[in-house]
């Protein structure tokens, strides 16, 4: 049940950012088989939430970088930044 709730929350919050994705593409993204950038972003949000839940009892620098790595590692064009601090202004 928690995985369904995580996907629902991630999909809903992504819609706020005008990112929409169908169930098929989301399922493919979970298997790293999607060609949809939106699906990959939503799945990255799911993975970041899973990491946050798993690391919630030990919130330190490593945990924060691990969550950030999950968020960026599957987003095309952002992989090299996953798990690292920014080196400049955004």
């Amino acid at each position: 049940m928690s995985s369904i709730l995580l996907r629902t929350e991630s999909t809903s919050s992504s819609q706020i950012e005008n990112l929409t994705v169908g169930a098929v593409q989301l399922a493919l993204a979970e298997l790293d088989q999607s060609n949809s950038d939106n699906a990959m972003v939503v799945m990255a949000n799911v993975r970041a939430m899973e990491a946050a839940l798993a690391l919630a009892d030990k919130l330190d620098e490593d945990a924060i970088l691990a969550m950030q790595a999950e968020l960026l590692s599957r987003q095309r064009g952002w992989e090299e930044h996953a798990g690292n601090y920014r080196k400049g202004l955004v």
Side-chain angles (χ1 to χ4, degrees):
M1 185 63 157
S2 65
S3 68
I4 293 170
L5 292 174
L6 283 174
R7 280 152 188 74
T8 301
E9 189 283 328
S10 294
T11 302
S12 297
S13 65
S14 295
Q15 285 178 342
I16 292 169
E17 299 174 26
N18 290 323
L19 294 173
T20 57
V21 62
V24 171
Q25 284 300 317
L26 189 58
L28 288 171
E30 186 164 11
L31 301 171
D32 290 326
Q33 300 295 315
S34 178
N35 59 1
S36 165
D37 287 340
N38 285 357
M40 298 303 284
V41 170
V42 172
M43 188 49 57
N45 289 337
V46 170
R47 297 288 185 241
M49 291 294 294
E50 289 171 340
L53 289 172
L55 299 166
D57 62 337
K58 187 186 132 210
L59 193 57
D60 60 10
E61 181 179 13
D62 290 336
I64 291 170
L65 289 174
M67 290 177 226
Q68 190 258 12
E70 289 296 333
L71 184 62
L72 296 182
S73 65
R74 291 179 179 85
Q75 295 186 45
R76 291 180 185 117
W78 290 95
E79 302 90 346
E80 69 185 71
H81 302 287
N84 299 303
Y85 285 107
R86 293 181 178 157
K87 294 181 177 31
L89 298 175
V90 178

